[in-house]
Amino acid sequence: MSLPRYLYLTITRECNLRCQQCHFWTYKDPEDKLSIGEFKDVIDQFCELNPNGIVVINGGEPTIHRDEFFEISRYIREKRLKSACVTNGYRFDDETSGRLITDGPTYITVSLDSHLPDIHNRLRGREDAFEKTLDTIKKLVSINKLSSDSTTEITVTTIIFDENIRYLSEYIEFVRSLGVRGVLFQIINPTFAMVSKEDRFFNEHFFREKEEAIQQIESVYEKYKNDPFVFLSRSDVEWFVSYIRNPEFTGEAVCDSHNKNIFLELTGDIVLCAHMRNFNNGNAIGNVRREKLKDILNSDIAEKMRSIMAKCRKNCGLLTCHKKEG
């Protein structure tokens, strides 16, 4: 077993927005979800495995239950582990923003899908989403600058889809003006947590003019390839291009999620990536309520899954969180 670098800690499936590309907002957390004490115990076990590891606090919207979120993020800090989260930044008051800098994750990424309010609001399903999220970003940057001992890094991320792709340069410069560390990019995926058979948003907003979309991506890369503010590598662009041409393309076996990632689900199940259950008859490799994390990762079923996943050629393996590093 290689040393896992990341623990993805799902602490809620709930969300306070109504995003078109994600239906997690239709979910409610199960009554038997892990307790704070159980989450902390898993963090302890992960720290023993890799004291230099990173804990990624996942949702839904991870900050929706604020007290729980901050108790977990503060505990991670006490263990001297680095941590990260992606938040929609919706309706953060001054106190919450301050706590994110003092008690929150090391790396905070805020989702902002356009510098044009109408586009962001329609994508996120709230008429005030742009205003509230922009206010949060400004608060976080301001508080972070005033905190002389802060190690927090604030970035912004966007989903690239048909409505915003032609405005990417303007978007980058808008985000730069906010004073954050940098900007990251995702590309439109099939809708998360689908509640119907028809993926209406993906079908309506995937790129119809594919070569034009590719030209836009290539143009942005050429313009910003030497700009450290823009987190867009050549390999990212190559993946985006292949994906735009065919969202179901397969390539080389570049995924390393089975070695570097651990995903803890709400009721204690452990998987090695979001698709791992497809290789294991719908099953996890273990549950932290019944076994220690180390024993789960060293089990025969975990080794079998790693062997199978090492040959996986799904293009999701090219995601930054999954692909081989170095």
Side-chain angles (χ1 to χ4, degrees):
M1 180 191 77
S2 62
L3 194 67
R5 187 177 181 194
Y6 300 95
L7 170 64
Y8 287 82
L9 206 69
T10 298
I11 64 171
T12 184
R13 297 289 297 277
E14 298 177 7
C15 189
N16 50 2
L17 292 185
R18 298 290 184 269
C19 300
Q20 296 182 58
Q21 82 285 3
C22 175
H23 293 162
F24 275 130
W25 51 270
T26 65
Y27 288 7
K28 290 292 182 184
D29 290 343
E31 293 183 2
D32 61 341
K33 66 177 284 189
L34 296 174
S35 67
I36 294 290
E38 288 174 314
F39 280 122
K40 288 181 177 179
D41 183 55
V42 175
I43 293 166
D44 288 340
Q45 294 180 54
F46 177 68
C47 188
E48 289 180 11
L49 287 173
N50 187 358
N52 296 312
I54 299 174
V55 180
V56 182
I57 308 175
N58 274 347
E61 167 51 41
T63 70
I64 194 168
H65 304 298
R66 302 277 166 88
D67 291 342
E68 177 180 285
F69 171 82
F70 282 117
E71 186 168 351
I72 290 172
S73 65
R74 188 168 54 248
Y75 188 73
I76 295 168
R77 283 186 177 233
E78 291 171 2
K79 300 296 292 185
R80 299 188 180 278
L81 290 167
K82 292 183 178 181
S83 58
C85 79
V86 178
T87 176
N88 59 41
Y90 186 68
R91 287 186 174 163
F92 282 24
D93 57 20
D94 291 344
E95 179 185 1
T96 300
S97 299
R99 289 179 72 187
L100 266 172
I101 301 303
T102 59
D103 296 335
T106 319
Y107 307 106
I108 301 170
T109 298
V110 185
S111 296
L112 184 71
D113 295 305
S114 178
H115 61 301
L116 302 174
D118 184 58
I119 292 179
H120 181 78
N121 290 342
R122 276 189 280 113
L123 188 62
R124 296 292 166 169
R126 298 280 194 189
E127 292 183 357
D128 60 351
F130 179 86
E131 174 189 354
K132 300 298 185 184
T133 298
L134 184 60
D135 182 59
T136 292
I137 295 170
K138 291 178 177 179
K139 284 177 181 175
L140 291 174
V141 169
S142 177
I143 295 168
N144 200 34
K145 285 181 178 178
L146 292 173
S147 179
S148 59
D149 61 344
S150 174
T151 58
T152 305
E153 187 173 290
I154 303 164
T155 53
V156 170
T157 187
T158 182
I159 296 170
I160 302 174
F161 66 118
D162 67 334
E163 284 195 66
N164 68 2
I165 191 167
R166 66 181 62 89
Y167 305 117
L168 288 181
S169 290
E170 293 93 330
Y171 171 82
I172 289 168
E173 296 309 323
F174 175 80
V175 172
R176 193 195 305 272
S177 73
L178 301 177
V180 299
R181 166 67 181 84
V183 60
L184 303 94
F185 303 92
Q186 303 176 64
I187 198 160
I188 181 174
N189 276 289
T191 300
F192 296 124
M194 279 289 294
V195 294
S196 63
K197 292 182 179 179
E198 181 188 7
D199 195 338
R200 182 175 176 180
F201 180 81
F202 183 82
N203 293 337
E204 290 181 356
H205 292 283
F206 194 74
F207 314 99
R208 287 179 173 78
E209 300 297 330
K210 295 185 177 183
E211 292 307 314
E212 181 181 334
I214 289 169
Q215 188 177 25
Q216 292 284 350
I217 295 289
E218 292 280 8
S219 175
V220 168
Y221 174 72
E222 287 301 318
K223 183 176 181 179
Y224 293 103
K225 62 184 178 182
N226 297 317
D227 189 339
F229 182 81
V230 180
F231 293 85
L232 185 66
S233 69
R234 184 67 230 173
S235 63
D236 292 332
V237 171
E238 290 171 358
W239 173 44
F240 288 176
V241 168
S242 297
Y243 183 80
I244 290 170
R245 287 188 172 139
N246 176 16
E248 298 180 359
F249 85 94
T250 57
E252 299 177 26
V254 297
C255 184
D256 200 36
S257 183
H258 49 290
N259 287 318
K260 71 178 187 178
N261 297 331
I262 307 167
F263 292 84
L264 174 67
E265 299 180 346
L266 271 181
T267 55
D269 279 351
I270 294 290
V271 295
L272 301 177
C273 87
H275 297 289
M276 192 215 76
R277 290 177 184 270
N278 296 332
F279 305 124
N280 195 33
N281 298 316
N283 298 315
I285 58 171
N287 188 290
V288 295
R289 281 177 164 156
R290 297 188 295 270
E291 307 160 83
K292 291 295 184 181
L293 185 59
K294 183 177 181 180
D295 293 336
I296 294 173
L297 296 175
N298 283 321
S299 66
D300 290 342
I301 189 61
E303 187 56 37
K304 178 182 177 182
M305 288 302 101
R306 280 192 285 268
S307 177
I308 293 173
M309 294 170 69
K311 302 172 186 175
C312 180
R313 296 172 62 214
K314 288 181 178 289
N315 63 45
C316 53
L318 285 160
L319 288 165
T320 301
C321 54
H322 280 46
K323 68 182 177 183
K324 295 175 183 176
E325 299 176 354

